[in-house]
Amino acid sequence: MVRDFEQYSAWRQGVVNALRNYQTWVAEAALTDAATEQRIVRTLTRLEDDKLSVAFVAEFSRGKSELINAIFFADYGQRILPSAAGRTTMCPTELLWDGSLAPSIRLLPIETRADNLSTSDYRDQPAAWTVLPLNLDEGADMHEAFKQVSKTRQVPVEEAKRYGLYDEDDPDLAVTLDENGMVEISLWRHAIINFPHPLLKQGLVILDTPGLNAIGTEPELTLNLIPNAHAVLFILAADTGVTKSDIEVWRNHIGNGAGRLVVLNKIDSMWDELRGEDDVNAEIERQQANVAHVLSLEPRQVFPVSAQKALVGKINHDVELQARSRLHALEAALFNELIPAKKDIVRKQLGEELQALNTAQLAMLNARTRGIVEQLHELRSLRGKNQSVVAHMMRRIDVEKREFDASLFKLQATRAVFTRLSTELYTCMGMDIVRDDIDLVRDEMQRSRFFIGVRDAVRGYFERTRANLDAAEHKTIEITEMMGVMYRRFSSEHGLTLALPMPFSLERYRDELDSIEAIYSKTFGTATLLTTSRVVLMEKFFDTIASRVRGCFKSANNDAEAWLKVIMAPLEAQIRQHKDQLKHRLASIQRIHDATDSLEQKIDAFERGQQELEAQKARLNELAGAISIAINAEFVALDAAA
């Protein structure tokens, strides 16, 4: 596993190095502008912040934490995450590594569920978290610190309802009240363990979820963490098989998508010294086939394991026990699924960015080359000509320059329209309209304390949000068409080599909005959820919905801002370049007319310049090719290793 992640990280670092070489060279060659630099920096930032997330989902007492210990932490010679009978993970727990922070556990108090903020919103508020340092030199101390994720407290029913953690119409919850009518709830809402494990340092993020009931009550899990995980391990127990709650969670929240693996844990409960090995294996295979049938999977997609025996086998270096635990097959499937799928995503994004970057830089070099070729043609045509011919050429260039300057007034008019349309675009999708819409829904929720009214308010919110995206899309089309007209005009009138402006689409954000609404509809779409307590829970879900939509629109605004800079930049760069070339042409012919420069010296200088540009073009293609090789080379190596 470490080797596979190191190879993936080495591949990613190779791409970063190639892109940095490209960035440095284009800056030295004066082939970059603010838009190009922004695009390169954003690509580098995405690569350096790249994460691979794995979520572990199960009902309590299925051995979920033990499985995490067995796969990731056996080398520490003991259990790192608490694992015992009953519930040991009471709040969603992320294990990751952030080198800018000390090893620690950050804990978000459960009381924050009473506010209108999601867990994601609190990530940018350090003061909201309780931070406990981790003593990496003392395994016992770490184990004790990790027990925080299992801490609970007793609260009155009203307080639990305020947090959306108690439904008085749920008979299963009513029997959990103690003799004082108190409810047991988690002490913490969310935990983030910052731990320098080799895999976590390589960008792995592990999500340990509470029992299945939390999937329906913790919005961050339902709407964000589980749907966005690159792999989800759904853990069942060999002795119980698939329960009703398992089926509901599988169908509503996990499903048989890419990176979804089913684990049949605790097969050691089926080991029997009074029966032969073949009989035991046959029984395990029957249970494996039954689980696969119920979940509509192939038997090979269900992995029977014993996490506890695998952990013991790894700690004691018992190869036979490790083999009998069958964990290796699950580990191989997990990383053969996880890393290639993530690489494909990154590879596609990088390929698109590289093509756009290289096209823009080659256009600038071609424009410079065309300018030199034109000047060489003019200068060579002056060989043997008298001064009257030179003067005529000066007048012709001067006329061309005045015509070009006149056309710049048209560009100023276009810029005014461009500014107006850009303002209208931000009016449709700006963060102010997002904030006002969220406030409107919260007001509607407060006025209607019935489920139907609250559900309709959220449905209307999605409709308005989608309409805002549609309106913004229409503005981007207007801008693209207007700039296309301007590009074609300057190309035809002044011979500029300009590709049509890059279109911009908000489709990915509409898709993200659709996925958020689909999860919401699954959770609150049935007519059986008409209770006051579910209204409270739905309000908690809306906090996370609002946070996801805010994040979606923030990304869309950033992308739109970058696009608006990029769409005008190539035209402006070539206009500046063409204007400079006209000025230099005029000055060059003037010096020849005044006999201050030798004609042959000027021709030699331009020919050297032409050779330098051809060398620059070759170097640019070489650097772009190096990025392309870096993107693709490691795929072969990793696939071969797999």
Side-chain angles (χ1 to χ4, degrees):
M1 289 186 295
V2 174
R3 182 204 66 203
D4 287 350
F5 261 87
E6 286 175 346
Q7 287 180 324
Y8 174 75
S9 295
W11 166 78
R12 187 176 57 198
Q13 189 58 46
V15 177
V16 168
N17 292 340
L19 190 55
R20 287 197 184 283
N21 289 338
Y22 185 96
Q23 179 187 34
T24 300
W25 186 84
V26 295
E28 291 173 351
L31 287 171
T32 188
D33 53 28
T36 301
E37 182 62 21
Q38 181 188 53
R39 172 171 277 170
I40 294 175
V41 169
R42 290 180 69 195
T43 302
L44 286 169
T45 300
R46 279 202 298 267
L47 278 169
E48 291 167 353
D49 292 343
D50 184 40
K51 299 291 184 184
L52 287 155
S53 58
V54 181
F56 288 74
V57 179
E59 187 58 276
F60 64 88
S61 295
R62 300 288 170 82
K64 174 171 42 62
S65 299
E66 190 79 325
L67 183 61
I68 296 174
N69 284 325
I71 294 177
F72 300 106
F73 298 112
D75 289 344
Y76 288 86
Q78 65 174 37
R79 291 184 175 92
I80 295 297
L81 292 182
S83 179
R87 299 185 66 175
T88 55
T89 304
M90 293 297 296
C91 68
T93 303
E94 290 180 82
L95 293 98
L96 49 81
W97 175 246
D98 182 345
S100 66
L101 301 174
S104 60
I105 300 182
R106 285 174 285 161
L107 300 154
L108 186 64
I110 195 67
E111 289 79 6
T112 59
R113 281 183 65 106
D115 300 327
N116 292 331
L117 291 175
S118 72
T119 303
S120 296
D121 294 324
Y122 281 109
R123 289 177 188 269
D124 298 326
Q125 299 184 25
W129 300 75
T130 298
V131 181
L132 303 178
L134 282 179
N135 184 357
L136 302 179
D137 297 325
E138 293 292 337
D141 289 353
M142 280 198 300
H143 188 68
E144 282 302 311
F146 285 173
K147 284 185 178 179
Q148 284 290 333
V149 301
S150 61
K151 293 292 180 68
T152 63
R153 67 185 180 94
Q154 303 294 124
V155 299
V157 168
E158 285 305 313
E159 183 175 352
K161 287 170 64 177
R162 191 164 69 251
Y163 303 150
L165 297 175
Y166 187 83
D167 184 350
E168 58 192 4
D169 295 318
D170 187 339
D172 293 333
L173 288 178
V175 300
T176 63
L177 299 177
D178 65 12
E179 62 273 12
N180 298 317
M182 305 285 276
V183 182
E184 183 184 31
I185 64 171
S186 173
L187 189 62
W188 309 107
R189 179 180 182 181
H190 198 87
I192 300 176
I193 300 175
N194 197 49
F195 189 75
H197 184 281
L199 290 177
L200 303 184
K201 283 185 173 182
Q202 301 289 348
L204 179 69
V205 177
I206 301 168
L207 173 64
D208 187 9
T209 64
L212 297 184
N213 63 313
I215 305 297
T217 58
E218 179 46 62
E220 190 74 7
L221 288 175
T222 308
L223 293 168
N224 192 9
L225 295 176
I226 292 177
N228 291 327
H230 299 102
V232 177
L233 272 65
F234 188 53
I235 302 150
L236 309 170
D239 52 354
T240 60
V242 185
T243 66
K244 181 180 178 182
S245 59
D246 289 329
I247 293 174
E248 290 177 354
V249 169
W250 174 260
R251 289 176 179 170
N252 293 330
H253 302 296
I254 300 176
N256 185 23
R260 271 49 181 163
L261 304 175
V262 176
V263 181
L264 191 61
N265 193 22
K266 300 188 178 182
I267 59 170
D268 53 292
S269 66
M270 303 171 74
W271 296 353
D272 188 345
E273 295 178 358
L274 300 179
R275 300 168 61 194
E277 190 74 15
D278 291 343
D279 289 342
V280 172
N281 288 336
E283 186 175 346
I284 292 173
E285 288 174 8
R286 281 195 296 272
Q287 187 71 308
Q288 179 183 8
N290 181 61
V291 168
H293 175 73
V294 173
L295 298 180
S296 301
L297 300 172
E298 294 293 326
R300 59 181 174 77
Q301 295 174 280
V302 178
F303 295 86
V305 303
S306 171
Q308 193 269 337
K309 299 305 179 189
L311 179 62
V312 172
K314 286 186 176 183
I315 291 174
N316 295 332
H317 306 289
D318 187 335
V319 177
E320 183 179 346
L321 186 59
Q322 290 184 55
R324 201 176 180 200
S325 75
R326 304 192 187 191
L327 187 67
H328 292 322
L330 173 62
E331 290 176 334
L334 172 60
F335 287 95
N336 287 342
E337 178 101 21
L338 177 65
I339 295 177
K342 178 61 174 175
K343 285 188 299 181
D344 283 341
I345 295 171
V346 176
R347 181 186 185 184
K348 182 180 178 183
Q349 291 173 341
L350 288 172
E352 293 171 350
E353 289 292 336
L354 175 60
Q355 183 178 4
L357 276 172
N358 204 41
T359 299
Q361 293 0 104
L362 280 175
M364 292 180 70
L365 278 176
N366 287 332
R368 291 180 186 179
T369 301
R370 188 189 64 252
I372 285 183
V373 168
E374 289 175 353
Q375 292 183 69
L376 272 172
H377 177 73
E378 289 175 345
L379 293 174
R380 286 168 179 159
S381 69
L382 294 178
R383 283 172 168 154
K385 299 295 190 299
N386 58 32
Q387 284 209 335
S388 64
V389 175
V390 177
H392 173 72
M393 185 172 288
M394 285 175 53
R395 288 192 297 273
R396 194 186 70 190
I397 296 173
D398 188 53
V399 169
E400 187 177 339
K401 184 175 180 298
R402 286 199 300 271
E403 288 176 350
F404 186 76
D405 289 341
S407 69
L408 294 182
F409 286 105
K410 299 175 185 176
L411 179 64
Q412 293 302 321
T414 300
R415 181 180 289 281
V417 178
F418 177 81
T419 302
R420 176 178 60 78
L421 290 174
S422 300
T423 302
E424 291 173 359
L425 172 61
Y426 287 126
T427 301
C428 297
M429 57 183 284
M431 299 310 294
D432 288 345
I433 195 170
V434 174
R435 181 199 60 221
D436 294 344
D437 223 355
I438 290 170
D439 291 343
L440 174 63
V441 177
R442 288 208 173 104
D443 288 343
E444 291 174 346
M445 284 180 166
Q446 291 299 319
R447 289 196 299 270
S448 176
R449 302 306 301 166
F450 294 99
F451 180 81
I452 296 295
V454 173
R455 187 176 61 183
D456 288 346
V458 178
R459 183 183 293 120
Y461 171 73
F462 279 113
E463 290 173 354
R464 290 192 301 275
T465 303
R466 190 172 287 103
N468 289 336
L469 281 180
D470 290 343
E473 186 86 85
H474 289 140
K475 290 300 174 186
T476 66
I477 293 171
E478 274 190 71
I479 292 171
T480 302
E481 291 176 346
M482 180 196 70
M483 292 305 301
V485 170
M486 182 57 65
Y487 270 50
R488 284 188 289 269
R489 177 181 298 165
F490 269 84
S491 295
S492 62
E493 291 181 359
H494 305 290
L496 303 186
T497 306
L498 287 166
L500 288 177
M502 178 180 62
F504 178 70
S505 174
L506 293 168
E507 188 65 31
R508 58 175 289 207
Y509 299 107
R510 274 200 296 270
D511 291 344
E512 184 175 349
L513 194 66
D514 289 343
S515 68
I516 298 171
E517 186 173 18
I519 297 169
Y520 148 78
S521 298
K522 279 186 179 180
T523 308
F524 296 101
T526 64
T528 59
L529 304 178
L530 308 179
T531 66
T532 303
S533 55
R534 289 301 275 188
V535 169
V536 175
L537 177 59
M538 189 172 180
E539 290 176 343
K540 302 306 169 195
F541 264 73
F542 181 72
D543 295 340
T544 299
I545 288 171
S547 177
R548 284 282 305 275
V549 172
R550 265 198 308 269
C552 175
F553 269 71
K554 185 176 181 180
S555 297
N557 273 266
N558 290 338
D559 285 351
E561 181 182 1
W563 173 70
L564 290 172
K565 289 179 180 178
V566 169
I567 195 173
M568 188 71 85
L571 178 61
E572 291 180 329
Q574 290 221 29
I575 285 173
R576 284 194 303 270
Q577 196 161 284
H578 190 68
K579 193 172 182 179
D580 289 343
Q581 286 173 353
L582 287 171
K583 184 172 70 175
H584 292 151
R585 284 167 62 194
L586 187 60
S588 179
I589 302 298
Q590 178 72 53
R591 284 195 296 270
I592 292 170
H593 182 265
D594 296 339
T596 57
D597 270 8
S598 163
L599 176 61
E600 293 303 323
Q601 286 177 337
K602 294 298 295 182
I603 290 175
D604 287 344
F606 277 114
E607 286 176 343
R608 287 194 301 272
Q610 186 178 18
Q611 291 169 359
E612 289 173 4
L613 284 174
E614 290 301 320
Q616 284 185 330
K617 198 180 299 184
R619 180 58 176 157
L620 183 70
N621 285 327
E622 180 185 332
L623 290 168
I627 300 175
S628 182
I629 289 171
I631 291 172
N632 294 288
E634 196 64 23
F635 278 73
V636 177
L638 283 173
D639 291 343

